[in-house]
């Protein structure tokens, strides 16, 4: 999967075992966790990383892609959580290493991945949830063709969430 967003040359490739250390650094960013979910979680523990490693050795994680930028290298990952055959919908998620934010990589990768979801796995709708206060992510998804479809109010324990979606065009 290759694509160009302005001057940004981004491609998506399968995850390799050698990427695990990078995933560890991407998952260790508590500011990204806060933006992502509204709360700071404990970083992934050894057993989780071990499981990811075993899955990779067994050829697993087919729905995950590493985001590569020409001249830069791997900057983050994007994934989907499985196509729902009843609705044709698929949820996606993305994270970039913090030093790579605000350079257009997220927009380019999300466009490429949604094209893949629509054209290759047969999705009719791609969706995701974003914390309402995550202005950067909401802006990025809008640039990548998503619209804000619903808002779920927060409460004492959870932040308000915006559901964003893109539909396949004929
Ligand atoms: C969210 C994320 C994937 C976006 O990727 P990215 O490469 O940084 O995004 P882009 O550079 O393509 O686009 C970001 C846009 O938001 C803008 N922006 C930055 N901070 C902003 C803010 N606080 N409010 C509104 N817009 C903001 C940027 O200026 C840019 O818009 P522009 O191109 O019109 O100037 C990445 O920043 C990331 O991994 N963040 C941490 C985890 C996260 O939030 N994940 C998403 C969970 S749903």
């Amino acid at each position: 999967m290759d694509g160009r967003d302005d001057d940004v040359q981004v491609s998506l490739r399968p995850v390799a075992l050698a990427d695990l250390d990078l995933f560890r650094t991407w998952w260790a960013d508590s500011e990204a966790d806060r933006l992502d979910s509204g709360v700071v979680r404990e970083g992934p523990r050894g057993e989780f990383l071990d499981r990811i490693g075993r899955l990779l050795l067994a050829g697993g994680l087919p729905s995950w892609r590493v985001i590569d930028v020409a001249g830069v290298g791997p900057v983050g990952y994007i994934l989907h959580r499985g196509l729902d055959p009843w609705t044709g919908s698929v949820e996606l998620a993305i994270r970039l290493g913090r030093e790579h934010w605000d350079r257009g990589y997220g927009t380019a990768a999300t466009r490429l991945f949604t094209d893949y979801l629509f054209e290759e796995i047969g999705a009719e709708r791609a969706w995701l949830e974003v914390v309402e206060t995550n202005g950067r992510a909401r802006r990025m998804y809008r640039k990548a063709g998503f619209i804000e479809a619903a808002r779920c109010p927060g409460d004492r324990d959870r932040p308000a969430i915006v559901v964003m979606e893109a539909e396949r065009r004929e």
Side-chain angles (χ1 to χ4, degrees):
M1 300 177 213
D2 283 297
R4 183 174 283 277
D5 179 57
D6 300 325
D7 291 331
V8 179
Q9 185 68 48
V10 168
S11 58
L12 305 180
R13 62 162 173 84
V15 182
L17 204 51
D19 296 317
L20 263 193
D21 280 344
L22 276 170
F23 275 84
R24 193 176 277 117
T25 62
W26 295 332
W27 284 331
D29 185 346
S30 55
E31 171 64 3
D33 278 352
R34 193 186 60 74
L35 288 164
D36 214 352
S37 60
V39 293
V40 176
R41 295 184 301 256
E42 195 184 325
R45 290 172 308 224
E47 63 201 53
F48 175 71
L49 290 163
D50 288 349
R51 189 178 311 121
I52 298 283
R54 285 198 302 275
L55 282 168
L56 285 170
L57 280 174
L61 301 183
S63 56
W64 295 33
R65 293 289 181 278
V66 169
I67 303 165
D68 265 324
V69 177
V72 179
V75 298
Y77 67 91
I78 191 162
L79 58 84
H80 73 79
R81 300 205 163 100
L83 178 66
D84 179 342
W86 298 101
T87 62
S89 291
V90 63
E91 182 184 1
L92 60 90
I94 180 171
R95 177 172 292 195
L96 306 185
R98 198 192 301 199
E99 67 276 29
H100 304 298
W101 295 357
D102 288 334
R103 294 173 185 200
Y105 304 156
T107 305
T110 302
R111 282 186 186 146
L112 272 180
F113 199 60
T114 359
D115 286 348
Y116 159 76
L117 296 175
F118 293 153
E119 287 160 22
E120 292 188 41
I121 76 161
E124 285 158 36
R125 173 178 171 264
W127 68 279
L128 57 99
E129 291 182 348
V130 56
V131 173
E132 188 173 46
T133 52
N134 191 348
R136 175 183 291 107
R138 289 172 66 184
R139 167 90 185 125
M140 182 279 278
Y141 289 122
R142 281 197 297 272
K143 287 198 301 173
F146 285 69
I147 58 157
E148 301 193 345
R151 177 181 183 277
C152 313
D155 58 28
R156 210 181 48 188
D157 303 317
R158 288 168 310 174
I161 295 291
V162 176
V163 178
M164 302 191 66
E165 65 178 26
E167 289 191 351
R168 181 170 66 184
R169 296 206 184 98
E170 294 310 322

